[in-house]
Amino acid sequence: GLGHEVEDFWTHDTQPVDYPDYALKVGLAVASGGCQRGVVVCGSGVGASVAACKVPGARAALCHDTFSARQGVEDDDMNVLCLGARVIGPALAVEVVRAFAGALFSNADRHLRRLNKVKAIENDARHGVFDDTARRRP
């Protein structure tokens, strides 16, 4: 209804599924450029946001208000919106998705600087910079 072409990766029955499988599909679709943005829904939204953020190039965030959904795109170039089906009602979810879909990254210098720092962390992770740190943990 907002004029966007939608690609549906979700399940179409009532059987339980594992949200990481679907967060991965959406994250990959966005990170590859196959989709401009994505929306992932799970019970709380937390698991979906954690899983989607593991995909390099996916910048996912859990939002249950219109300000965070809009600001996440404008300031942080968020490209995956995560929602908690057990947390947010359907009417508010529609408004949050509307705010997310209608927002544009500002390209302001300070936001570009910060986004580039986030991308640098992601690039370091891709190249194993943090691997030794993870192995040293108890």
Side-chain angles (χ1 to χ4, degrees), residues 56-134:
R59 290 178 299 280
L62 171 61
C63 299
H64 290 140
D65 63 89
T66 58
F67 174 80
S68 297
R70 179 184 50 76
Q71 181 270 336
V73 173
E74 291 176 351
D75 293 359
D76 304 308
D77 202 22
M78 175 179 71
N79 54 19
V80 178
L81 171 67
C82 301
L83 299 170
R86 295 182 182 140
V87 178
I88 189 171
L92 181 55
V94 168
E95 292 306 313
V96 171
V97 170
R98 188 181 313 265
F100 169 70
L104 298 173
F105 182 57
S106 70
N107 283 300
D109 287 342
R110 72 181 187 278
H111 299 307
L112 281 169
R113 182 181 69 249
R114 294 166 185 163
L115 179 59
N116 286 332
K117 288 181 178 186
V118 169
K119 288 179 177 180
I121 293 168
E122 183 179 80
N123 191 51
D124 285 349
R126 282 183 177 150
H127 292 95
V129 170
F130 307 117
D131 290 353
D132 286 340
T133 303

